Amino acid sequence: MFATATVAVIIAMVLALVRAFSGPSLYDRVLAGNSFGTKTVLLIGIMGFLTGRPDFLDIALLYALINFAATIAILRFFSYRQPKGAPAEPRPVKPSGSEAS
Amino acid sequence: MTNGYEYEVSPILLVDLSLLTMLLVVAIAMLRSRHLFAVVMLSGIYSLLSAAFFVSLDAVDVAFTEAAVGAGVSTVLMLAGMLLTARREKPFESRRVPVARIAVFATGAALIYATIDMPGFGDPNAPANAYVGQAYVERTPSDIAVPNIVTAVLASYRGFDTLGEVLVVFTAGLAVLLLLGVGSARGGREVSDVDEESP
């Protein structure tokens, strides 16, 4: 049963890799990296049960935390581009009262 | 083998093989891609893959460091650097490449040749396992009294070494922050979904 699950997770990893290679937009690649991290967490968990030593399950949980924080940190770098018609304003240095969309 | 150690085809071996294959594919894709954001994301995936591979080698501490530093921190640092420069790699001239290529291939061939002399994986008679490593395994329960021997070696037996490493990493992090500027690490940059080169 665990062997089947391992094969399934590895196939899912390959699929996420394909999206990371070919993903046309930037967010496809972010999502591919995030889901690949999730697959890594699953694979580490399954590998523990496959070898009969599920001691590393807490490590897998920590990976899930790191993966989440890393994705948030990556997405923090991007903000949505202004729509085409909008005038190109420089970003405000301080967040003033009006919300900068 | 004469030392009683031999491979057996286990499911973990197949997992290792598929992980290493994916590592190779990701590395080749990183080399061939000119889209820097894709390279950064692929390097994060590469770190996650090698972390999973380290876990299957029972090197959990190394794997944890690889996942935290490789997939987390260095991805963000490379993104910060990329956003300060350009989003695409410039096309390079292939004139002066052969010298560098010859040097790289010669070094790689020498390293592969050097692995022939290395002891087998998990060999109990290997120098890494025989002398001081064996003493660590024997004496950790009475000396340090922690269940994890790697932790005992890192934090107690080689405590000064670890302190020096932490100092080096801290200095490198400070230098990177000074180079990038603290302001670049917060706030968003304006980027688009599609490539800017192909309107």
Side-chain angles (χ1 to χ4, degrees), chain A residues 87-99:
Chain A
E89 290 181 359
R91 286 179 61 82
V93 180
K94 282 181 196 173
S96 55
S98 66
E99 280 186 290

Side-chain angles (χ1 to χ4, degrees), chain B residues 1 3-7 57 118-130:
Chain B
M1 287 207 178
N3 53 16
Y5 175 81
E6 52 188 84
Y7 280 117
L57 289 179
M118 288 179 72
F121 175 68
D123 186 1
N125 296 319
N129 297 329

Side-chain angles (χ1 to χ4, degrees), chain B residues 109-143:
Chain B
L111 286 176
I112 289 175
Y113 176 70
T115 60
I116 297 174
D117 276 345
M118 288 179 72
F121 175 68
D123 186 1
N125 296 319
N129 297 329
Y131 305 107
V132 70
Q134 203 172 8
Y136 288 150
V137 173
E138 284 167 357
R139 293 172 53 180
T140 293
S142 59
D143 279 359

Side-chain angles (χ1 to χ4, degrees), chain A residues 8 10 20-21 23 43 45 64 72-73 76 79-81 83 94 97 101:
Chain A
I10 285 179
F21 291 158
L43 185 71
I72 295 294
R76 187 90 175 80
S79 63
Y80 284 104
R81 155 166 295 210
K94 282 181 196 173
S101 65

Side-chain angles (χ1 to χ4, degrees), chain A residues 3 6-7 9-11 13-14 16-17 20-21 23-34 36-38 40-41 43-44 46-48 50-51 53 56 58-59 62-63 66-67 69-70 73-82 89 91 101, chain B residues 11-12 14-16 18-19 22 25-26 29-30 33 35 37-39 41-42 45-46 48-49 51-53 55-56 58 60 62-65 67-68 71-72 75-77 79-80 82-83 87 184-196:
Chain A
T6 310
V7 172
V9 168
I10 285 179
I11 289 174
M13 284 169 109
V14 171
L17 269 190
F21 291 158
S25 88
L26 201 139
Y27 300 101
D28 282 332
R29 294 201 164 99
V30 174
L31 189 58
N34 186 22
F36 198 88
T38 311
T40 312
V41 172
L43 185 71
I44 289 171
I46 291 175
M47 272 198 303
L50 195 65
T51 52
R53 293 176 303 157
F56 299 153
D58 45 352
I59 300 288
L62 275 175
Y63 274 35
I66 288 177
N67 189 27
I74 288 169
L75 287 177
R76 187 90 175 80
F77 278 97
F78 305 116
S79 63
Y80 284 104
R81 155 166 295 210
Q82 304 249 345
E89 290 181 359
R91 286 179 61 82
S101 65
Chain B
I12 283 298
L14 298 179
V15 171
D16 285 350
S18 52
L19 283 179
M22 279 192 276
V25 171
V26 170
M30 278 166 71
S33 176
H35 193 261
F37 184 79
V39 175
M41 289 314 291
L42 283 176
I45 289 178
Y46 188 90
L48 283 170
L49 267 174
F53 181 60
V55 167
S56 86
D58 278 353
V60 185
V62 184
F64 190 69
T65 312
T75 304
V76 173
L77 283 179
L79 266 182
M82 185 195 83
L83 290 176
R87 296 185 55 222
S184 68
R186 52 185 64 150
R189 292 295 174 110
E190 310 265 333
V191 294
S192 66
D193 270 358
V194 292
D195 291 341
E196 292 181 9

Side-chain angles (χ1 to χ4, degrees), chain B residues 29-178:
Chain B
M30 278 166 71
L31 282 180
R32 295 185 64 84
S33 176
R34 292 282 167 268
H35 193 261
L36 287 181
F37 184 79
V39 175
V40 171
M41 289 314 291
L42 283 176
S43 77
I45 289 178
Y46 188 90
S47 297
L48 283 170
L49 267 174
S50 46
F53 181 60
F54 289 150
V55 167
S56 86
L57 289 179
D58 278 353
V60 185
D61 310 68
V62 184
F64 190 69
T65 312
E66 178 67 41
V69 175
V73 178
S74 75
T75 304
V76 173
L77 283 179
M78 280 195 283
L79 266 182
M82 185 195 83
L83 290 176
L84 286 178
T85 56
R87 296 185 55 222
R88 277 191 171 271
E89 190 175 337
K90 281 185 182 172
F92 60 94
E93 312 165 13
S94 56
R95 298 278 166 74
R96 288 152 56 184
V97 165
V99 180
R101 187 171 293 175
I102 288 170
V104 165
F105 275 104
T107 313
L111 286 176
I112 289 175
Y113 176 70
T115 60
I116 297 174
D117 276 345
M118 288 179 72
F121 175 68
D123 186 1
N125 296 319
N129 297 329
Y131 305 107
V132 70
Q134 203 172 8
Y136 288 150
V137 173
E138 284 167 357
R139 293 172 53 180
T140 293
S142 59
D143 279 359
I144 320 281
V146 293
N148 191 340
I149 296 177
V150 177
T151 305
V153 171
L154 280 181
S156 179
Y157 289 119
R158 297 184 193 162
F160 284 115
D161 186 36
T162 306
L163 183 66
E165 286 172 9
V166 170
L167 195 68
V168 167
V169 171
F170 180 69
T171 314
L174 276 186
V176 167
L177 271 185
L178 281 176

